[in-house]
Structure formats: structure tokens, C-alpha cells
Amino acid sequence: MSDILTHIDAGVMTITFNRLDKKNSITSSMYAAMADAVAQAGADPSVRVVVFQGHESIFSAGNDIGDFLNQPPTTQESPVFRFLRGIATFEKPMLAAVAGPAVGIGTTMLFHCDLVYAGDNAAFSMPFVNLGLCPEAASSLLAPRMFGYHRAAEALLMGEPFFAEAAQEVGLVNRVVPPTEVNGYAQAQARKLAAKPLTSLIATKRLMKGDTQAVLRKMDEEGQDFGRMLREPAAKEAFGAFMEKRKPDFSKV
């Protein structure tokens, strides 16, 4: 069974994280599958809405560390960057149903969704600094824009989890529901959207989003810093400690 499932019904493409035994951590091949699915959804006139979902116990633990270290993104055509550009420039409505932990990309991808619904067990985190890295997915631009600078600074500099109620308060989440209901609720909302005129949905989203070039430029800037920092001592210490199941020591880096 595939680690990424896609299904189209009634104008809605659902993209499901399906690697529950690994906490839905994302590999390079999963990024490629999602990038391809998003591109297909954009080109297919029968698809009007995209929904990302996980399991009621977890959305995604973020990057699969072992796969990431073995296959780090090296060019702008790497699957992760194709996926990020795809969701940043997607013209149709994009929704997410989030229950349980949403770590790293599990949170930053939500800045590119138009509607986000969360289970009351959702826990969002962007722990890039704790890994000796920097933000991704234009979150260094979009988090301050959405949260306000100081709340974004707390989320990105501290890297600690924040929960569904706080995410709703800062505007990342539209509604909080029980975890067992979040996927179904997002699907119901997606079907409402799919019944509306697509030209109106696309025009309204474009007018609200404005120029996406600043987002793409920030993604490129973050990507360059991220790639450089991945090769530096702090990240090596952080990932080494993770693999060895110990606390990292940044006192000498």
C-alpha cells in the first residue's frame, strides 16, 4: 500500500498521509507523490478542491530523518521543493484536516492552505532551530504575517509545540472539532466548495493571496540557508543526537 493515497470524488481530491507505523513521516518519494498529485489536481478540470489529511492520531511527524539525511534536497527540482512550489502556487481551494502532531512541514504546509480544520488533540510545531536549521516553506514570511511578529518569534525561535486552541486564536486553524470528526468535517466543507463556480473560487483566492512571487523568493532564500546549515556543525550535532537518542550539546557550535 502506498505511503501517500490519492482519491478523487465529487470534485475533491483527497491526499492522505498513510505511513502510520512511521508517524506519517515524509520521505523523498512521498514528496514526489504529493507534488505529482498537486500538479494533477491543478491540471484536471474535474478537480475543484484538494484536501490533505492524516490519521485521527497524527497528521505528520515531518521529515523522515533517516531518508532526509540519505537523500537531502540538493536542487530546486528535488521533490520537496517541487511540492512546496506546487502548494504555494495552487490556484484552487486547498484544505487540511489535522489531528495529533503536525511537526515541521506538517505545520508549515498549512500556511499555504485556504482552510484548516483541527482535532482538539492537534499539536503544531516548527522545531527548525532545535535541529540547527532555519524555517522552510516561506514560514519565516508567512508566520509573522499571520501570527504577528512576537507570536511567530515564539513559535520559530523556541520551536515548542502549540495546540489547537492557540492555533485557532492566531488564525492558522478555522475550527476545532473532535479528532474522529476532523477528516469528515473537512470533506464536508470541501464538497460545499466543489459545488461553487470554480472561476469564482480561483479569482477570489488569487485576489486574497496577491502576488506569490514574494513567497517563492522567500522559499528560495530559506532553501539556500537550509542547505548550507544542514552541512554545518549544529545540524550534524542535532541529527546525531536524534539518531543516538540523546540530548544535543550545542555549547561548542
Side-chain angles (χ1 to χ4, degrees), residues 84 108 111-112 135-144 214-216 218-219 222:
L84 292 178
T108 59
F111 290 112
H112 303 281
E136 61 177 16
S139 56
S140 61
L141 171 69
L142 299 175
V215 171
L216 295 174
K218 184 60 69 173
M219 279 187 181
E222 290 172 344

Side-chain angles (χ1 to χ4, degrees), residues 86 124 142 151 186 199 229:
F124 306 87
L142 299 175
R151 287 182 175 182
T199 53
M229 297 176 77

Side-chain angles (χ1 to χ4, degrees), residues 2 11 21 31 64 69 72 79 94 114 118 131 137 147-148 182 187 193-194 199 236 245-246:
S2 174
D21 61 322
Y31 279 121
D64 180 297
L69 293 177
M94 182 175 285
D114 304 295
L131 294 171
F147 297 180
V182 66
Q187 289 291 326
L193 286 170
T199 53
K236 290 181 179 179
K245 298 183 179 180
R246 61 175 173 82

Side-chain angles (χ1 to χ4, degrees), residues 49-184:
V49 183
V50 165
V51 178
F52 287 98
Q53 65 180 26
H55 186 263
E56 63 188 49
S57 64
I58 188 162
F59 184 64
S60 174
N63 284 322
D64 180 297
I65 298 300
D67 180 84
F68 182 72
L69 293 177
N70 288 329
Q71 300 184 76
T74 55
T75 72
Q76 288 300 310
E77 294 310 308
S78 296
V80 61
F81 292 130
R82 287 201 299 115
F83 171 66
L84 292 178
R85 287 196 304 273
I87 60 175
T89 58
F90 193 69
E91 295 182 330
K92 303 173 186 179
M94 182 175 285
L95 284 65
V98 181
V103 181
I105 187 69
T107 290
T108 59
M109 65 178 287
L110 304 177
F111 290 112
H112 303 281
C113 293
D114 304 295
L115 298 169
V116 178
Y117 302 105
D120 57 23
N121 65 338
F124 306 87
S125 60
M126 297 180 284
F128 306 110
V129 166
N130 301 339
L131 294 171
L133 299 170
C134 68
E136 61 177 16
S139 56
S140 61
L141 171 69
L142 299 175
R145 182 184 290 178
M146 179 179 288
F147 297 180
Y149 179 83
H150 289 97
R151 287 182 175 182
E154 184 172 50
L156 287 168
L157 295 178
M158 299 300 293
E160 296 173 349
F162 57 99
F163 301 98
E165 185 176 329
Q168 185 177 24
E169 183 182 349
V170 297
L172 183 63
V173 164
N174 291 88
R175 186 178 294 254
V176 178
V177 300
T180 55
E181 298 176 15
V182 66
N183 287 357

Side-chain angles (χ1 to χ4, degrees), residues 6-27:
T6 59
H7 176 70
I8 299 174
D9 184 48
V12 178
M13 175 185 279
T14 303
I15 302 174
T16 304
F17 294 115
N18 186 48
R19 198 181 181 222
L20 194 56
D21 61 322
K22 298 295 185 180
K23 299 182 179 180
N24 288 341
S25 58
I26 307 174
T27 63

